C-alpha cells in the first residue's frame, strides 16, 4: 500500500529524504564550528583572528538559517505525505467495503469493531513517512557523531548504546502492550461510534430530544471512554515508570563519557574547543539513539495498526463456483432446500426452504415480522450466501454467476431502502446512466414527485447541505419507487422485487403508486413483500412464511378458502376498513 503512494511521488519523497540527510548532518557541523570559534577566542593571538571569527560566525549563522528553512520544508512534505497516506487508506477502505459484493463487511460485528479501532488509531498510519524520514535524519547524524567519538575513544558510543538499550527494549515492549490493550477494546470503540452517531445524527434527533435520551446515551459513551482511558493510562504509567527507571542507566552512561572528556581537558589533553565538540558529539549521540528508540516504538505501532487494516482490505470475496448448467425444470427460479442462519445468532432464519417461480408470474410473500421474508429476498439477490441448499436461476446456480451480472438482472425496492444524502438525480438514476432530464421529469410526474423536485434534480436531499431538500417518509418512498421503475424500464431487468412498497404513503399516493405496481405485475416476473394484504389480491400466487418455512401456498381465493394463517391476517386487516 505504502509502495504505491511512494511510486507516485518519488520526486517529493526524494526531496524529503534529501532534506533529512542535510538536516541530520547539520547538528554535528554546528557543534564543530562552535568548537573552532571557542578555540580561536581562547588561544589565538594572531591579528587576523577577528576575521576568522567573523567568517566562522557567518558560516554558523548560515547553517542555522539553513536548518530553519529545511525544518519548514520538512514540515510541508511530512504533512503532504500524511495527507496522501490518510487519503489512500480511506479510499481503499471505502472502495473495499462499498464494492464488496455481499453484506458481510457491513453486517459482520467483527469488521465493524476493526473499523472503529482503525478510526480511533489511524493517525499513526499517516505519520509513517515522517517516522521513516526521522530515522534517515538520525542515521546521518549518527554516522559522523560515531566516527568522531570513535576517533577519540572507541568505547564512548558503545557505552551510550549499551546503557540506553534497556530504554529501547522497554519502549518497544510497552508500545506493543498498549496496542494490544486498545485492540481488546475494539468492541467498545464500536459501541462508542454508535453512541456518537445517535447523539449527532439527524436520524435520531427527534426521539433523542422528545424522550430526553441524550443524558443516558452521553453517560454510556462517557463511561466507556473513561473505562478505556483509565486502563490505557494505567498501561502508560507502568511504561513510563519502567522507562524512567531504566533511563538511569542511560544517564550514568552519559555521565561517564562527560567525566572522561572533562578530566582529560583539565589534564590538557583537549582544548576548550575540543571539549565543546566532544560534549556536543556525546549529546547528539544520546539524542539520536533516543530518537531511534522512540521512532522504532512508533513504527511498531504503525505495523500493528496495519494488521486490522489489512484484515479488512484482504477480506476474501465469496468464490464464484464453476458449475455446469442444471436442467431441473422449466421454472425461472428454483430455490432448493435453502437454509440460512445469521452469524451472530443460532436461530435458523430460513429453514430447508424450497420454492419454484415461473417466468412472467407475480408472487407475494407474506407473514409476521421475523418470519424470514426479507432474508429470503437477500438470498435471492445474492447479498447473502446460504449455508445449505442452492438457488437456480434459468438453470444456472447463482453461485456460479458474477455478482455484477446477477445484480444487473434485478430491480429492487427494499423495505429499508437507501436515502442517500446526495442529489435527487443520483438517488433516482442509481446506475448513473445517460438519461435526459425530460425522461426523469416524466418519471417524477408519474410517481408524484414533480411538485417537490421540479427543476431540482441537482439539489441535495439533505438539510445538512446548503439549499438541500428535506423529504418526508412518503416522499422518500416515492424516490425509491422511481429508482426501481427507472432501472426496470431502462435495463429490462428479469426480476422485480418490491418490499413493502406503499408502507409510508398516504391514501392518495398509495392509489397512484398501485397503478404503477399493477402495470409492472402484468409484464414482469416480480416478488412483493407486504404486510398490507390488499396488494395480494392482484398477484398470481401467495406464500405465507413462518419460522423460515413456507406454511401456506396458493392464490388469494385458495388461501381464503383454506381458512388458515393468510385468511386470518386478511380478515383482521379488513376489520379496520369496515
Amino acid at each position: 500500500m505504502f509502495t504505491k503512494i511512494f511510486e507516485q511521488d518519488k520526486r517529493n519523497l526524494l526531496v524529503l529524504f534529501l532534506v533529512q540527510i542535510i538536516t541530520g548532518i547539520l547538528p554535528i557541523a554546528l557543534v564543530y564550528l562552535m568548537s573552532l570559534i571557542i578555540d580561536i577566542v581562547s588561544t589565538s593571538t594572531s591579528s587576523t583572528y577577528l576575521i576568522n571569527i567573523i567568517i566562522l560566525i557567518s558560516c554558523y549563522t548560515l547553517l542555522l538559517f539553513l536548518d530553519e528553512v529545511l525544518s519548514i520544508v520538512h514540515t510541508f512534505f511530512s504533512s503532504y505525505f500524511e495527507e496522501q497516506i490518510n487519503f489512500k487508506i480511506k479510499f481503499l477502505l471505502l472502495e473495499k467495503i462499498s464494492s464488496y459484493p455481499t453484506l458481510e463487511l457491513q453486517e459482520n460485528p467483527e469488521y465493524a469493531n476493526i473499523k472503529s479501532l482503525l478510526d480511533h488509531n489511524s493517525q499513526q498510519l499517516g505519520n509513517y513517512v515522517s517516522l521513516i524520514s526521522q530515522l534517515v535524519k538520525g542515521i546521518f547524524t549518527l554516522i559522523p557523531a560515531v566516527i568522531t567519538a570513535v576517533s577519540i575513544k572507541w568505547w564512548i558510543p558503545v557505552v551510550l548504546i549499551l546503557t540506553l538499550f534497556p530504554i529501547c527494549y522497554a519502549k518497544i515492549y510497552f508500545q506493543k502492550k498498549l496496542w494490544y490493550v486498545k485492540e481488546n477494546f475494539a468492541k467498545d470503540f464500536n459501541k462508542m461510534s454508535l453512541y456518537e452517531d445517535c447523539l449527532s445524527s439527524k436520524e435520531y434527533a427527534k426521539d433523542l430530544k422528545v424522550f430526553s435520551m441524550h443524558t443516558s446515551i452521553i453517560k454510556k459513551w462517557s463511561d466507556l471512554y473513561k473505562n478505556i482511558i483509565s486502563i490505557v493510562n494505567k498501561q502508560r504509567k507502568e511504561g513510563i515508570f519502567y522507562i524512567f527507571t531504566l533511563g538511569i542507566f542511560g544517564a550514568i552512561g552519559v555521565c561517564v563519557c562527560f567525566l572522561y572528556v572533562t578530566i582529560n581537558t583539565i589534564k590538557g589533553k583537549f582544548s576548550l574547543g575540543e571539549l565543546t565538540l566532544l560534549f556536543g558529539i556525546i549529546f547528539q549521540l544520546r539524542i539520536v539513539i533516543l530518537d531511534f528508540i522512540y521512532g522504532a516504538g512508533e513504527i511498531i505501532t504503525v505495523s500493528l495498526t496495519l494488521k486490522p487494516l489489512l484484515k479488512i482490505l484482504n477480506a476474501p470475496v465469496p468464490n464464484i463456483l464453476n458449475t455446469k448448467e442444471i436442467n431441473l425444470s422449466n421454472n425461472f427460479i428454483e430455490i432448493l432446500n435453502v437454509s440460512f442462519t445469521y452469524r451472530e445468532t443460532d436461530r435458523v432464519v430460513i429453514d430447508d426452504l424450497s420454492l419454484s417461480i415461473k417466468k412472467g408470474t407475480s408472487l407475494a410473500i407474506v407473514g409476521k415480522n421475523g418470519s424470514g421474508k426479507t432474508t429470503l429476498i437477500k438470498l435471492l439477490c445474492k447479498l447473502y450466501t446460504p449455508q445449505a441448499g442452492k438457488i437456480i436461476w434459468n438453470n444456472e446456480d447463482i453461485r456460479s454467476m458474477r455478482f455484477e451480472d446477477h445484480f444487473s438482472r434485478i430491480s429492487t425496492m427494499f423495505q429499508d431502502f437507501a436515502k442517500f444524502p446526495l442529489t435527487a438525480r443520483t438517488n433516482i438514476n442509481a446506475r448513473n446512466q445517460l438519461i435526459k432530464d425530460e425522461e426523469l421529469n416524466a418519471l417524477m410526474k408519474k410517481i408524484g414527485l414533480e411538485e417537490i423536485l421540479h427543476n431540482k434534480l441537482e439539489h441535495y436531499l439533505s438539510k445538512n447541505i446548503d439549499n438541500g431538500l428535506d423529504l418526508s417518509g412518503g416522499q422518500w418512498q416515492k424516490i425509491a419507487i422511481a429508482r426501481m421503475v427507472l432501472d426496470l424500464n431502462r435495463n429490462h431487468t428479469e426480476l422485480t422485487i418490491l418490499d413493502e412498497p406503499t408502507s409510508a404513503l398516504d391514501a392518495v399516493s398509495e392509489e397512484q403508486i398501485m397503478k404503477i405496481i399493477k402495470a409492472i405485475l402484468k409484464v414482469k416476473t416480480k416478488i412483493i413483500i407486504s404486510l398490507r394484504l390488499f396488494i395480494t389480491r392482484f398477484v398470481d400466487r401467495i406464500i405465507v412464511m413462518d419460522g423460515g418455512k413456507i406454511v401456506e401456498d396458493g392464490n388469494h381465493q385458495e388461501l381464503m378458502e383454506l381458512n388458515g394463517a393468510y385468511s386470518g391476517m386478511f380478515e383482521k386487516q379488513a376489520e379496520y376498513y369496515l
Side-chain angles (χ1 to χ4, degrees):
M1 180 183 66
F2 291 126
T3 306
K4 291 180 181 178
I5 297 171
F6 300 154
E7 285 177 353
Q8 296 170 359
D9 282 299
K10 286 181 180 177
R11 183 180 297 178
N12 289 334
L13 191 65
L14 186 63
V15 171
L16 175 61
F17 284 166
L18 185 61
V19 165
Q20 289 298 76
I21 290 170
I22 298 170
T23 307
I25 298 170
L26 280 177
I28 304 300
L30 288 167
V31 170
Y32 177 70
L33 285 175
M34 183 56 67
S35 71
L36 292 178
I37 293 169
I38 291 172
D39 271 344
I40 291 174
V41 171
S42 61
T43 62
S44 181
T45 57
S46 170
S47 58
T48 60
Y49 84 95
L50 187 59
I51 296 173
N52 292 334
I53 287 177
I54 291 172
I55 292 171
L56 289 173
I57 289 176
S58 298
C59 291
Y60 190 90
T61 305
L62 283 172
L63 289 182
L64 280 177
F65 176 72
L66 178 62
D67 189 45
E68 290 176 3
V69 171
L70 292 179
S71 176
I72 294 169
V73 173
H74 171 260
T75 301
F76 170 80
F77 280 105
S78 292
S79 299
Y80 168 79
F81 277 108
E82 181 181 341
E83 290 163 359
Q84 288 295 305
I85 290 172
N86 286 333
F87 166 78
K88 190 66 177 179
I89 289 170
K90 195 147 196 172
F91 175 83
L92 290 173
L93 270 176
L94 292 173
E95 183 182 46
K96 178 69 177 184
I97 293 171
S98 62
S99 63
Y100 197 81
T102 70
L103 298 176
E104 174 74 6
L105 293 186
Q106 281 91 349
E107 294 188 354
N108 187 342
E110 180 186 0
Y111 287 113
N113 294 339
I114 290 173
K115 189 174 181 304
S116 294
L117 180 65
L118 282 171
D119 289 341
H120 284 84
N121 295 278
S122 59
Q123 190 63 36
Q124 284 93 338
L125 293 172
N127 292 333
Y128 179 76
V129 173
S130 181
L131 291 170
I132 296 297
S133 69
Q134 289 293 343
L135 289 180
V136 171
K137 174 185 174 181
I139 289 170
F140 282 89
T141 302
L142 187 65
I143 292 171
V146 168
I147 292 172
T148 307
V150 168
S151 68
I152 301 163
K153 276 294 176 181
W154 64 268
W155 54 262
I156 289 178
V158 174
V159 167
L160 289 172
I161 291 170
L162 289 177
T163 55
L164 290 171
F165 178 78
I167 302 177
C168 177
Y169 174 80
K171 172 68 176 176
I172 292 172
Y173 174 77
F174 281 102
Q175 201 76 23
K176 279 186 175 181
K177 203 170 179 182
L178 185 61
W179 169 259
Y180 291 134
V181 168
K182 290 182 178 180
E183 194 173 40
N184 288 334
F185 280 113
K187 290 182 180 179
D188 289 330
F189 282 129
N190 190 21
K191 288 179 183 177
M192 285 176 65
S193 297
L194 293 176
Y195 291 146
E196 289 165 12
D197 191 36
C198 290
L199 291 166
S200 61
S201 174
K202 173 191 169 185
E203 182 181 355
Y204 311 105
K206 294 189 292 294
D207 293 88
L208 190 77
K209 297 177 188 304
V210 171
F211 293 105
S212 300
M213 295 173 67
H214 64 282
T215 304
S216 61
I217 295 176
I218 285 178
K219 186 178 185 306
K220 289 176 182 177
W221 177 88
S222 178
D223 289 345
L224 277 176
Y225 181 81
K226 288 175 181 177
N227 182 48
I228 294 170
I229 289 299
S230 67
I231 295 174
V232 167
N233 283 341
K234 182 181 177 181
Q235 202 66 56
R236 283 175 178 153
K237 287 175 183 177
E238 185 182 350
I240 289 170
F241 172 77
Y242 278 97
I243 291 170
F244 174 78
T245 304
L246 295 171
I248 294 172
F249 293 101
I252 291 171
V254 172
C255 183
V256 169
C257 295
F258 279 162
L259 278 173
Y260 171 79
V261 173
T262 303
I263 291 169
N264 280 279
T265 302
I266 293 170
K267 290 179 178 180
K269 291 184 179 181
F270 301 127
S271 66
L272 288 177
E274 289 172 327
L275 173 70
T276 304
L277 174 63
L278 293 172
F279 267 42
I281 293 293
I282 293 167
F283 186 70
Q284 286 298 324
L285 271 173
R286 184 177 184 276
I287 289 175
V288 170
I289 293 169
L290 287 174
D291 282 346
F292 270 110
I293 290 170
Y294 287 97
E298 294 301 321
I299 287 175
I300 284 172
T301 301
V302 169
S303 66
L304 291 170
T305 309
L306 271 174
K307 285 171 61 181
L309 172 64
L310 293 175
K311 188 166 185 178
I312 291 181
L313 296 181
N314 296 330
V317 176
N319 292 327
I320 305 297
L321 298 183
N322 186 15
T323 59
K324 296 180 180 179
E325 188 171 283
I326 305 168
N327 293 305
L328 291 174
S329 66
N330 294 322
N331 290 319
F332 175 45
I333 296 171
E334 287 276 1
I335 300 173
L336 302 174
N337 306 109
V338 165
S339 294
F340 180 79
T341 302
Y342 285 106
R343 180 189 296 268
E344 65 275 12
T345 68
D346 296 326
R347 186 174 67 88
V348 178
V349 184
I350 301 296
D351 188 6
D352 195 30
L353 185 145
S354 295
L355 173 67
S356 301
I357 303 173
K358 295 185 181 297
K359 194 161 191 172
T361 62
S362 55
L363 170 71
I365 305 176
V366 301
K368 61 185 180 181
N369 292 330
S371 59
K373 304 185 298 295
T374 298
T375 301
L376 178 60
I377 291 303
K378 289 177 180 177
L379 286 164
L380 193 56
C381 290
K382 209 178 174 181
L383 294 172
Y384 292 153
T385 302
Q387 282 96 13
K390 61 181 70 173
I391 299 173
I392 309 303
W393 186 298
N394 275 340
N395 292 319
E396 184 180 359
D397 192 326
I398 66 170
R399 291 174 297 178
S400 67
M401 300 177 186
R402 292 175 66 248
F403 284 94
E404 297 82 355
D405 293 340
H406 187 64
F407 295 153
S408 68
R409 300 176 180 185
I410 306 170
S411 294
T412 60
M413 180 197 154
F414 294 110
Q415 181 181 12
D416 53 347
F417 57 84
K419 302 174 183 178
F420 295 107
L422 305 174
T423 63
R425 184 189 301 277
T426 303
N427 268 280
I428 297 172
N429 184 14
R431 295 191 194 268
N432 195 27
Q433 301 172 96
L434 292 175
I435 300 175
K436 293 181 179 180
D437 288 359
E438 290 79 5
E439 183 177 349
L440 291 176
N441 288 328
L443 175 61
M444 288 191 294
K445 184 176 182 179
K446 182 179 180 181
I447 300 294
L449 288 167
E450 184 184 31
E451 184 176 343
I452 189 170
L453 292 181
H454 182 66
N455 292 329
K456 294 180 180 178
L457 285 170
E458 300 306 325
H459 282 241
Y460 279 78
L461 304 186
S462 170
K463 290 298 286 183
N464 294 330
I465 302 291
D466 289 341
N467 298 318
L469 301 174
D470 190 20
L471 303 187
S472 67
Q475 290 165 336
W476 268 115
Q477 191 153 30
K478 289 181 180 180
I479 290 283
I481 292 169
R483 183 188 304 157
M484 181 270 299
V485 171
L486 180 67
D487 190 42
L488 176 66
N489 293 339
R490 296 282 299 195
N491 299 305
H492 307 292
T493 50
E494 298 174 10
L495 176 67
T496 303
I497 297 173
L498 296 150
D499 191 350
E500 299 293 350
T502 63
S503 59
L505 299 178
D506 58 59
V508 175
S509 298
E510 187 171 52
E511 182 184 6
Q512 186 178 22
I513 297 304
M514 276 307 301
K515 291 179 181 178
I516 297 170
I517 292 174
K518 286 178 182 178
I520 294 171
L521 292 176
K522 293 177 182 177
V523 295
K524 291 285 182 181
T525 307
K526 49 267 153 196
I527 298 174
I528 296 177
I529 297 176
S530 181
L531 294 173
R532 302 171 79 165
L533 299 186
F534 71 90
I535 296 177
T536 58
R537 292 179 300 165
F538 307 108
V539 302
D540 301 317
R541 181 183 174 197
I542 304 163
I543 61 170
V544 182
M545 290 188 64
D546 188 19
K549 294 177 177 288
I550 297 173
V551 294
E552 292 182 10
D553 187 349
N555 59 34
H556 174 75
Q557 189 61 40
E558 290 169 345
L559 294 185
M560 290 299 293
E561 291 174 0
L562 190 63
N563 200 29
Y566 175 80
S567 66
M569 288 187 291
F570 189 89
E571 287 170 359
K572 283 181 181 178
Q573 288 190 21
E575 290 175 3
Y576 292 105
Y577 296 97
L578 296 177

